[in-house]
PDB file of all heavy atoms in Angstrom:
ATOM      1  N   PRO O 387     -46.877 -16.969 229.803  1.00 94.00           N
ATOM      2  CA  PRO O 387     -46.808 -15.629 230.393  1.00 94.00           C
ATOM      3  C   PRO O 387     -47.098 -15.698 231.893  1.00 94.00           C
ATOM      4  O   PRO O 387     -47.986 -16.425 232.336  1.00 94.00           O
ATOM      5  CB  PRO O 387     -47.897 -14.861 229.642  1.00 94.00           C
ATOM      6  CG  PRO O 387     -47.978 -15.558 228.320  1.00 94.00           C
ATOM      7  CD  PRO O 387     -47.766 -17.015 228.650  1.00 94.00           C
ATOM      8  N   GLY O 388     -46.308 -14.970 232.650  1.00 93.00           N
ATOM      9  CA  GLY O 388     -46.433 -14.989 234.104  1.00 93.00           C
ATOM     10  C   GLY O 388     -45.410 -15.872 234.784  1.00 93.00           C
ATOM     11  O   GLY O 388     -45.119 -15.705 235.965  1.00 93.00           O
ATOM     12  N   ASP O 389     -44.831 -16.832 234.030  1.00 95.00           N
ATOM     13  CA  ASP O 389     -43.767 -17.679 234.592  1.00 95.00           C
ATOM     14  C   ASP O 389     -42.542 -16.827 234.885  1.00 95.00           C
ATOM     15  O   ASP O 389     -42.305 -15.814 234.239  1.00 95.00           O
ATOM     16  CB  ASP O 389     -43.363 -18.777 233.601  1.00 95.00           C
ATOM     17  CG  ASP O 389     -44.389 -19.875 233.459  1.00 95.00           C
ATOM     18  OD1 ASP O 389     -45.342 -19.931 234.256  1.00 95.00           O
ATOM     19  OD2 ASP O 389     -44.235 -20.682 232.511  1.00 95.00           O
ATOM     20  N   ARG O 390     -41.746 -17.298 235.830  1.00 96.00           N
ATOM     21  CA  ARG O 390     -40.430 -16.689 236.091  1.00 96.00           C
ATOM     22  C   ARG O 390     -39.387 -17.677 235.608  1.00 96.00           C
ATOM     23  O   ARG O 390     -39.486 -18.874 235.856  1.00 96.00           O
ATOM     24  CB  ARG O 390     -40.249 -16.406 237.570  1.00 96.00           C
ATOM     25  CG  ARG O 390     -41.195 -15.326 238.036  1.00 96.00           C
ATOM     26  CD  ARG O 390     -40.462 -14.314 238.857  1.00 96.00           C
ATOM     27  NE  ARG O 390     -41.333 -13.195 239.129  1.00 96.00           N
ATOM     28  CZ  ARG O 390     -40.969 -11.952 238.942  1.00 96.00           C
ATOM     29  NH1 ARG O 390     -39.773 -11.673 238.501  1.00 96.00           N
ATOM     30  NH2 ARG O 390     -41.777 -10.969 239.215  1.00 96.00           N
ATOM     31  N   ILE O 391     -38.391 -17.154 234.909  1.00 97.00           N
ATOM     32  CA  ILE O 391     -37.365 -18.011 234.328  1.00 97.00           C
ATOM     33  C   ILE O 391     -35.976 -17.443 234.599  1.00 97.00           C
ATOM     34  O   ILE O 391     -35.821 -16.262 234.913  1.00 97.00           O
ATOM     35  CB  ILE O 391     -37.558 -18.175 232.803  1.00 97.00           C
ATOM     36  CG1 ILE O 391     -37.463 -16.810 232.093  1.00 97.00           C
ATOM     37  CG2 ILE O 391     -38.863 -18.885 232.486  1.00 97.00           C
ATOM     38  CD1 ILE O 391     -37.435 -16.902 230.577  1.00 97.00           C
ATOM     39  N   ASP O 392     -34.991 -18.324 234.484  1.00 97.00           N
ATOM     40  CA  ASP O 392     -33.589 -17.918 234.432  1.00 97.00           C
ATOM     41  C   ASP O 392     -33.142 -18.133 232.999  1.00 97.00           C
ATOM     42  O   ASP O 392     -33.559 -19.097 232.341  1.00 97.00           O
ATOM     43  CB  ASP O 392     -32.716 -18.780 235.352  1.00 97.00           C
ATOM     44  CG  ASP O 392     -33.000 -18.563 236.820  1.00 97.00           C
ATOM     45  OD1 ASP O 392     -33.664 -17.566 237.182  1.00 97.00           O
ATOM     46  OD2 ASP O 392     -32.536 -19.397 237.620  1.00 97.00           O
ATOM     47  N   LEU O 393     -32.302 -17.250 232.497  1.00 97.00           N
ATOM     48  CA  LEU O 393     -31.741 -17.383 231.156  1.00 97.00           C
ATOM     49  C   LEU O 393     -30.246 -17.612 231.263  1.00 97.00           C
ATOM     50  O   LEU O 393     -29.530 -16.826 231.901  1.00 97.00           O
ATOM     51  CB  LEU O 393     -32.034 -16.132 230.331  1.00 97.00           C
ATOM     52  CG  LEU O 393     -33.509 -15.976 229.988  1.00 97.00           C
ATOM     53  CD1 LEU O 393     -33.834 -14.548 229.597  1.00 97.00           C
ATOM     54  CD2 LEU O 393     -33.886 -16.925 228.873  1.00 97.00           C
ATOM     55  N   TYR O 394     -29.784 -18.700 230.671  1.00 97.00           N
ATOM     56  CA  TYR O 394     -28.374 -19.075 230.672  1.00 97.00           C
ATOM     57  C   TYR O 394     -27.793 -18.870 229.288  1.00 97.00           C
ATOM     58  O   TYR O 394     -28.445 -19.176 228.283  1.00 97.00           O
ATOM     59  CB  TYR O 394     -28.211 -20.555 231.050  1.00 97.00           C
ATOM     60  CG  TYR O 394     -28.351 -20.839 232.514  1.00 97.00           C
ATOM     61  CD1 TYR O 394     -29.600 -20.910 233.116  1.00 97.00           C
ATOM     62  CD2 TYR O 394     -27.229 -21.037 233.303  1.00 97.00           C
ATOM     63  CE1 TYR O 394     -29.729 -21.171 234.469  1.00 97.00           C
ATOM     64  CE2 TYR O 394     -27.349 -21.299 234.664  1.00 97.00           C
ATOM     65  CZ  TYR O 394     -28.603 -21.366 235.238  1.00 97.00           C
ATOM     66  OH  TYR O 394     -28.720 -21.618 236.576  1.00 97.00           O
ATOM     67  N   ALA O 395     -26.575 -18.391 229.220  1.00 96.00           N
ATOM     68  CA  ALA O 395     -25.861 -18.236 227.956  1.00 96.00           C
ATOM     69  C   ALA O 395     -24.701 -19.231 227.930  1.00 96.00           C
ATOM     70  O   ALA O 395     -23.886 -19.273 228.854  1.00 96.00           O
ATOM     71  CB  ALA O 395     -25.327 -16.818 227.826  1.00 96.00           C
ATOM     72  N   THR O 396     -24.654 -20.033 226.887  1.00 94.00           N
ATOM     73  CA  THR O 396     -23.551 -20.960 226.664  1.00 94.00           C
ATOM     74  C   THR O 396     -22.765 -20.461 225.458  1.00 94.00           C
ATOM     75  O   THR O 396     -23.334 -20.321 224.379  1.00 94.00           O
ATOM     76  CB  THR O 396     -24.076 -22.385 226.387  1.00 94.00           C
ATOM     77  OG1 THR O 396     -24.907 -22.798 227.472  1.00 94.00           O
ATOM     78  CG2 THR O 396     -22.932 -23.361 226.215  1.00 94.00           C
ATOM     79  N   PRO O 397     -21.480 -20.165 225.631  1.00 94.00           N
ATOM     80  CA  PRO O 397     -20.695 -19.601 224.526  1.00 94.00           C
ATOM     81  C   PRO O 397     -20.732 -20.486 223.278  1.00 94.00           C
ATOM     82  O   PRO O 397     -20.660 -21.713 223.374  1.00 94.00           O
ATOM     83  CB  PRO O 397     -19.270 -19.528 225.088  1.00 94.00           C
ATOM     84  CG  PRO O 397     -19.437 -19.532 226.567  1.00 94.00           C
ATOM     85  CD  PRO O 397     -20.670 -20.343 226.845  1.00 94.00           C
ATOM     86  N   LEU O 398     -20.863 -19.853 222.117  1.00 92.00           N
ATOM     87  CA  LEU O 398     -20.858 -20.595 220.854  1.00 92.00           C
ATOM     88  C   LEU O 398     -19.552 -21.337 220.654  1.00 92.00           C
ATOM     89  O   LEU O 398     -19.512 -22.392 220.027  1.00 92.00           O
ATOM     90  CB  LEU O 398     -21.098 -19.636 219.682  1.00 92.00           C
ATOM     91  CG  LEU O 398     -22.481 -18.985 219.621  1.00 92.00           C
ATOM     92  CD1 LEU O 398     -22.514 -17.946 218.508  1.00 92.00           C
ATOM     93  CD2 LEU O 398     -23.550 -20.027 219.432  1.00 92.00           C
ATOM     94  N   SER O 399     -18.474 -20.814 221.212  1.00 87.00           N
ATOM     95  CA  SER O 399     -17.165 -21.453 221.077  1.00 87.00           C
ATOM     96  C   SER O 399     -17.044 -22.700 221.937  1.00 87.00           C
ATOM     97  O   SER O 399     -16.116 -23.471 221.771  1.00 87.00           O
ATOM     98  CB  SER O 399     -16.068 -20.466 221.485  1.00 87.00           C
ATOM     99  OG  SER O 399     -16.200 -20.158 222.875  1.00 87.00           O
ATOM    100  N   ALA O 400     -17.969 -22.883 222.863  1.00 77.00           N
ATOM    101  CA  ALA O 400     -17.940 -24.009 223.805  1.00 77.00           C
ATOM    102  C   ALA O 400     -16.677 -24.008 224.660  1.00 77.00           C
ATOM    103  O   ALA O 400     -16.265 -25.034 225.180  1.00 77.00           O
ATOM    104  CB  ALA O 400     -18.113 -25.338 223.079  1.00 77.00           C
ATOM    105  N   LEU O 401     -16.056 -22.844 224.803  1.00 83.00           N
ATOM    106  CA  LEU O 401     -14.830 -22.744 225.595  1.00 83.00           C
ATOM    107  C   LEU O 401     -15.080 -22.282 227.028  1.00 83.00           C
ATOM    108  O   LEU O 401     -14.142 -21.994 227.758  1.00 83.00           O
ATOM    109  CB  LEU O 401     -13.842 -21.784 224.920  1.00 83.00           C
ATOM    110  CG  LEU O 401     -13.298 -22.258 223.581  1.00 83.00           C
ATOM    111  CD1 LEU O 401     -12.377 -21.205 222.979  1.00 83.00           C
ATOM    112  CD2 LEU O 401     -12.571 -23.587 223.730  1.00 83.00           C
ATOM    113  N   GLY O 402     -16.307 -22.203 227.407  1.00 86.00           N
ATOM    114  CA  GLY O 402     -16.608 -21.782 228.767  1.00 86.00           C
ATOM    115  C   GLY O 402     -17.914 -22.374 229.233  1.00 86.00           C
ATOM    116  O   GLY O 402     -18.698 -22.891 228.440  1.00 86.00           O
ATOM    117  N   PRO O 403     -18.145 -22.302 230.536  1.00 92.00           N
ATOM    118  CA  PRO O 403     -19.390 -22.853 231.085  1.00 92.00           C
ATOM    119  C   PRO O 403     -20.566 -21.925 230.794  1.00 92.00           C
ATOM    120  O   PRO O 403     -20.393 -20.741 230.497  1.00 92.00           O
ATOM    121  CB  PRO O 403     -19.103 -22.908 232.582  1.00 92.00           C
ATOM    122  CG  PRO O 403     -18.137 -21.792 232.812  1.00 92.00           C
ATOM    123  CD  PRO O 403     -17.279 -21.753 231.571  1.00 92.00           C
ATOM    124  N   ALA O 404     -21.759 -22.472 230.923  1.00 92.00           N
ATOM    125  CA  ALA O 404     -22.962 -21.653 230.822  1.00 92.00           C
ATOM    126  C   ALA O 404     -23.007 -20.716 232.013  1.00 92.00           C
ATOM    127  O   ALA O 404     -22.551 -21.054 233.105  1.00 92.00           O
ATOM    128  CB  ALA O 404     -24.198 -22.544 230.797  1.00 92.00           C
ATOM    129  N   ALA O 405     -23.544 -19.524 231.797  1.00 94.00           N
ATOM    130  CA  ALA O 405     -23.634 -18.534 232.870  1.00 94.00           C
ATOM    131  C   ALA O 405     -25.019 -17.904 232.860  1.00 94.00           C
ATOM    132  O   ALA O 405     -25.607 -17.688 231.801  1.00 94.00           O
ATOM    133  CB  ALA O 405     -22.576 -17.456 232.675  1.00 94.00           C
ATOM    134  N   VAL O 406     -25.533 -17.616 234.040  1.00 96.00           N
ATOM    135  CA  VAL O 406     -26.826 -16.934 234.159  1.00 96.00           C
ATOM    136  C   VAL O 406     -26.646 -15.492 233.711  1.00 96.00           C
ATOM    137  O   VAL O 406     -25.774 -14.781 234.192  1.00 96.00           O
ATOM    138  CB  VAL O 406     -27.346 -16.965 235.613  1.00 96.00           C
ATOM    139  CG1 VAL O 406     -28.633 -16.166 235.730  1.00 96.00           C
ATOM    140  CG2 VAL O 406     -27.546 -18.392 236.079  1.00 96.00           C
ATOM    141  N   VAL O 407     -27.473 -15.052 232.753  1.00 97.00           N
ATOM    142  CA  VAL O 407     -27.430 -13.659 232.313  1.00 97.00           C
ATOM    143  C   VAL O 407     -28.650 -12.877 232.788  1.00 97.00           C
ATOM    144  O   VAL O 407     -28.620 -11.653 232.798  1.00 97.00           O
ATOM    145  CB  VAL O 407     -27.267 -13.523 230.782  1.00 97.00           C
ATOM    146  CG1 VAL O 407     -25.866 -13.934 230.362  1.00 97.00           C
ATOM    147  CG2 VAL O 407     -28.298 -14.322 230.039  1.00 97.00           C
ATOM    148  N   ALA O 408     -29.701 -13.588 233.194  1.00 96.00           N
ATOM    149  CA  ALA O 408     -30.883 -12.938 233.773  1.00 96.00           C
ATOM    150  C   ALA O 408     -31.590 -13.969 234.660  1.00 96.00           C
ATOM    151  O   ALA O 408     -31.854 -15.079 234.213  1.00 96.00           O
ATOM    152  CB  ALA O 408     -31.814 -12.445 232.688  1.00 96.00           C
ATOM    153  N   ALA O 409     -31.820 -13.597 235.901  1.00 96.00           N
ATOM    154  CA  ALA O 409     -32.426 -14.536 236.858  1.00 96.00           C
ATOM    155  C   ALA O 409     -33.808 -14.060 237.290  1.00 96.00           C
ATOM    156  O   ALA O 409     -34.025 -12.873 237.502  1.00 96.00           O
ATOM    157  CB  ALA O 409     -31.535 -14.684 238.084  1.00 96.00           C
ATOM    158  N   GLN O 410     -34.701 -15.017 237.387  1.00 95.00           N
ATOM    159  CA  GLN O 410     -36.058 -14.812 237.876  1.00 95.00           C
ATOM    160  C   GLN O 410     -36.783 -13.680 237.154  1.00 95.00           C
ATOM    161  O   GLN O 410     -37.466 -12.870 237.764  1.00 95.00           O
ATOM    162  CB  GLN O 410     -36.048 -14.588 239.386  1.00 95.00           C
ATOM    163  CG  GLN O 410     -35.569 -15.791 240.142  1.00 95.00           C
ATOM    164  CD  GLN O 410     -35.781 -15.664 241.634  1.00 95.00           C
ATOM    165  OE1 GLN O 410     -36.574 -14.866 242.111  1.00 95.00           O
ATOM    166  NE2 GLN O 410     -35.072 -16.467 242.392  1.00 95.00           N
ATOM    167  N   VAL O 411     -36.619 -13.627 235.841  1.00 95.00           N
ATOM    168  CA  VAL O 411     -37.310 -12.604 235.056  1.00 95.00           C
ATOM    169  C   VAL O 411     -38.697 -13.119 234.665  1.00 95.00           C
ATOM    170  O   VAL O 411     -38.869 -14.304 234.389  1.00 95.00           O
ATOM    171  CB  VAL O 411     -36.500 -12.193 233.809  1.00 95.00           C
ATOM    172  CG1 VAL O 411     -35.229 -11.478 234.197  1.00 95.00           C
ATOM    173  CG2 VAL O 411     -36.204 -13.376 232.921  1.00 95.00           C
ATOM    174  N   PRO O 412     -39.688 -12.234 234.656  1.00 95.00           N
ATOM    175  CA  PRO O 412     -41.033 -12.666 234.275  1.00 95.00           C
ATOM    176  C   PRO O 412     -41.198 -12.748 232.751  1.00 95.00           C
ATOM    177  O   PRO O 412     -40.708 -11.890 232.017  1.00 95.00           O
ATOM    178  CB  PRO O 412     -41.937 -11.580 234.858  1.00 95.00           C
ATOM    179  CG  PRO O 412     -41.076 -10.383 235.004  1.00 95.00           C
ATOM    180  CD  PRO O 412     -39.667 -10.885 235.192  1.00 95.00           C
ATOM    181  N   VAL O 413     -41.885 -13.784 232.326  1.00 95.00           N
ATOM    182  CA  VAL O 413     -42.237 -13.940 230.909  1.00 95.00           C
ATOM    183  C   VAL O 413     -43.504 -13.125 230.665  1.00 95.00           C
ATOM    184  O   VAL O 413     -44.491 -13.275 231.381  1.00 95.00           O
ATOM    185  CB  VAL O 413     -42.488 -15.427 230.561  1.00 95.00           C
ATOM    186  CG1 VAL O 413     -42.981 -15.571 229.134  1.00 95.00           C
ATOM    187  CG2 VAL O 413     -41.227 -16.244 230.794  1.00 95.00           C
ATOM    188  N   LEU O 414     -43.461 -12.269 229.649  1.00 94.00           N
ATOM    189  CA  LEU O 414     -44.622 -11.446 229.319  1.00 94.00           C
ATOM    190  C   LEU O 414     -45.422 -12.021 228.162  1.00 94.00           C
ATOM    191  O   LEU O 414     -46.641 -11.883 228.121  1.00 94.00           O
ATOM    192  CB  LEU O 414     -44.177 -10.020 228.978  1.00 94.00           C
ATOM    193  CG  LEU O 414     -43.424  -9.292 230.083  1.00 94.00           C
ATOM    194  CD1 LEU O 414     -43.021  -7.908 229.611  1.00 94.00           C
ATOM    195  CD2 LEU O 414     -44.260  -9.213 231.353  1.00 94.00           C
ATOM    196  N   ALA O 415     -44.738 -12.637 227.197  1.00 93.00           N
ATOM    197  CA  ALA O 415     -45.435 -13.196 226.039  1.00 93.00           C
ATOM    198  C   ALA O 415     -44.599 -14.291 225.405  1.00 93.00           C
ATOM    199  O   ALA O 415     -43.369 -14.247 225.438  1.00 93.00           O
ATOM    200  CB  ALA O 415     -45.712 -12.100 225.010  1.00 93.00           C
ATOM    201  N   VAL O 416     -45.306 -15.268 224.839  1.00 91.00           N
ATOM    202  CA  VAL O 416     -44.684 -16.327 224.052  1.00 91.00           C
ATOM    203  C   VAL O 416     -45.412 -16.334 222.707  1.00 91.00           C
ATOM    204  O   VAL O 416     -46.500 -16.879 222.593  1.00 91.00           O
ATOM    205  CB  VAL O 416     -44.801 -17.706 224.742  1.00 91.00           C
ATOM    206  CG1 VAL O 416     -44.117 -18.774 223.920  1.00 91.00           C
ATOM    207  CG2 VAL O 416     -44.238 -17.661 226.152  1.00 91.00           C
ATOM    208  N   PRO O 417     -44.839 -15.659 221.690  1.00 84.00           N
ATOM    209  CA  PRO O 417     -45.509 -15.570 220.394  1.00 84.00           C
ATOM    210  C   PRO O 417     -45.783 -16.945 219.794  1.00 84.00           C
ATOM    211  O   PRO O 417     -45.027 -17.896 220.020  1.00 84.00           O
ATOM    212  CB  PRO O 417     -44.521 -14.785 219.531  1.00 84.00           C
ATOM    213  CG  PRO O 417     -43.679 -14.042 220.500  1.00 84.00           C
ATOM    214  CD  PRO O 417     -43.574 -14.936 221.710  1.00 84.00           C
ATOM    215  N   ASP O 418     -46.857 -17.041 219.041  1.00 77.00           N
ATOM    216  CA  ASP O 418     -47.155 -18.274 218.318  1.00 77.00           C
ATOM    217  C   ASP O 418     -46.050 -18.567 217.333  1.00 77.00           C
ATOM    218  O   ASP O 418     -45.364 -17.661 216.858  1.00 77.00           O
ATOM    219  CB  ASP O 418     -48.477 -18.147 217.553  1.00 77.00           C
ATOM    220  CG  ASP O 418     -49.667 -18.034 218.489  1.00 77.00           C
ATOM    221  OD1 ASP O 418     -49.599 -18.552 219.619  1.00 77.00           O
ATOM    222  OD2 ASP O 418     -50.668 -17.411 218.083  1.00 77.00           O
ATOM    223  N   SER O 419     -45.895 -19.828 216.976  1.00 64.00           N
ATOM    224  CA  SER O 419     -44.823 -20.211 216.059  1.00 64.00           C
ATOM    225  C   SER O 419     -44.955 -19.502 214.717  1.00 64.00           C
ATOM    226  O   SER O 419     -43.957 -19.234 214.062  1.00 64.00           O
ATOM    227  CB  SER O 419     -44.783 -21.721 215.868  1.00 64.00           C
ATOM    228  OG  SER O 419     -46.024 -22.180 215.349  1.00 64.00           O
ATOM    229  N   GLY O 420     -46.155 -19.160 214.295  1.00 60.00           N
ATOM    230  CA  GLY O 420     -46.352 -18.444 213.038  1.00 60.00           C
ATOM    231  C   GLY O 420     -45.840 -17.020 213.073  1.00 60.00           C
ATOM    232  O   GLY O 420     -45.627 -16.400 212.042  1.00 60.00           O
ATOM    233  N   GLU O 421     -45.644 -16.490 214.268  1.00 55.00           N
ATOM    234  CA  GLU O 421     -45.154 -15.122 214.428  1.00 55.00           C
ATOM    235  C   GLU O 421     -43.639 -15.071 214.647  1.00 55.00           C
ATOM    236  O   GLU O 421     -43.085 -14.018 214.890  1.00 55.00           O
ATOM    237  CB  GLU O 421     -45.843 -14.463 215.630  1.00 55.00           C
ATOM    238  CG  GLU O 421     -47.335 -14.331 215.490  1.00 55.00           C
ATOM    239  CD  GLU O 421     -47.983 -13.813 216.750  1.00 55.00           C
ATOM    240  OE1 GLU O 421     -47.686 -14.336 217.835  1.00 55.00           O
ATOM    241  OE2 GLU O 421     -48.784 -12.863 216.642  1.00 55.00           O
ATOM    242  N   GLN O 422     -42.979 -16.185 214.557  1.00 51.00           N
ATOM    243  CA  GLN O 422     -41.562 -16.274 214.894  1.00 51.00           C
ATOM    244  C   GLN O 422     -40.644 -15.788 213.784  1.00 51.00           C
ATOM    245  O   GLN O 422     -39.518 -15.417 214.050  1.00 51.00           O
ATOM    246  CB  GLN O 422     -41.192 -17.720 215.261  1.00 51.00           C
ATOM    247  CG  GLN O 422     -41.888 -18.238 216.486  1.00 51.00           C
ATOM    248  CD  GLN O 422     -41.289 -17.690 217.770  1.00 51.00           C
ATOM    249  OE1 GLN O 422     -40.136 -17.279 217.814  1.00 51.00           O
ATOM    250  NE2 GLN O 422     -42.062 -17.686 218.828  1.00 51.00           N
ATOM    251  N   GLY O 423     -41.068 -15.826 212.542  1.00 54.00           N
ATOM    252  CA  GLY O 423     -40.193 -15.437 211.436  1.00 54.00           C
ATOM    253  C   GLY O 423     -39.608 -16.663 210.768  1.00 54.00           C
ATOM    254  O   GLY O 423     -39.150 -17.580 211.445  1.00 54.00           O
ATOM    255  N   VAL O 424     -39.622 -16.697 209.460  1.00 48.00           N
ATOM    256  CA  VAL O 424     -39.205 -17.895 208.735  1.00 48.00           C
ATOM    257  C   VAL O 424     -37.701 -18.114 208.733  1.00 48.00           C
ATOM    258  O   VAL O 424     -37.236 -19.227 208.584  1.00 48.00           O
ATOM    259  CB  VAL O 424     -39.726 -17.887 207.283  1.00 48.00           C
ATOM    260  CG1 VAL O 424     -41.233 -17.988 207.254  1.00 48.00           C
ATOM    261  CG2 VAL O 424     -39.259 -16.652 206.544  1.00 48.00           C
ATOM    262  N   LEU O 425     -36.907 -17.068 208.880  1.00 49.00           N
ATOM    263  CA  LEU O 425     -35.455 -17.216 208.841  1.00 49.00           C
ATOM    264  C   LEU O 425     -34.825 -17.299 210.230  1.00 49.00           C
ATOM    265  O   LEU O 425     -33.622 -17.466 210.359  1.00 49.00           O
ATOM    266  CB  LEU O 425     -34.827 -16.044 208.070  1.00 49.00           C
ATOM    267  CG  LEU O 425     -35.257 -15.924 206.614  1.00 49.00           C
ATOM    268  CD1 LEU O 425     -34.630 -14.686 205.988  1.00 49.00           C
ATOM    269  CD2 LEU O 425     -34.900 -17.166 205.830  1.00 49.00           C
TER     270      LEU O 425
END
Side-chain angles (χ1 to χ4, degrees):
D389 287 349
R390 293 227 172 229
I391 61 172
D392 292 345
L393 291 161
Y394 283 79
T396 303
L398 293 174
S399 65
L401 294 178
V406 176
V407 289
Q410 296 190 19
V411 293
V413 174
L414 301 179
V416 181
D418 293 332
S419 59
E421 298 174 311
Q422 296 284 337
V424 294
L425 299 177

